Amino acid sequence: MRQNVTVSDTVRYISNNALPTQQETLGQVVVEILRAGQNLNRKALCSRLIHRLEQASGPEEEQQLHLLIGMLFGPQTS
């Protein structure tokens, strides 16, 4: 059985179900912080990521946010 699926249906499905990449998520958070007139620092990033974690819509998003938060506290090299 063959279904008629249009390109716009496929694009709509992907855009509604695909998570942004880690870089995109971090970029969105940075923009939010800067537009709010706040200083961009580790504390502000962590706060925004935790807020997003509390609002996460699924386990994949939660995992991605946990990874980003972990990156803020990962090993630092000098």
Side-chain angles (χ1 to χ4, degrees):
M1 175 184 251
R2 191 171 164 189
Q3 294 180 346
N4 276 339
V5 177
T6 64
V7 172
S8 62
D9 290 335
T10 304
V11 170
R12 189 177 315 111
Y13 174 80
I14 291 171
S15 65
N16 288 336
N17 294 310
L19 284 176
T21 65
Q22 286 182 346
Q23 290 175 334
E24 290 169 330
T25 299
L26 198 53
Q28 291 168 356
V29 170
V30 167
V31 168
E32 288 174 12
I33 292 168
L34 295 176
R35 285 190 177 154
Q38 298 176 324
N39 290 326
L40 182 60
N41 54 39
R42 189 181 303 196
K43 181 180 175 183
L45 284 169
C46 188
S47 176
R48 292 285 175 140
L49 289 171
I50 289 172
H51 178 71
R52 282 182 174 231
L53 182 59
E54 292 170 348
Q55 308 296 321
S57 61
E60 295 88 7
E61 185 178 6
E62 286 180 13
Q63 181 183 15
Q64 183 185 60
L65 291 166
H66 277 290
L67 289 170
L68 287 171
I69 292 167
M71 288 170 57
L72 294 174
F73 300 102
Q76 296 179 8
T77 58
S78 299

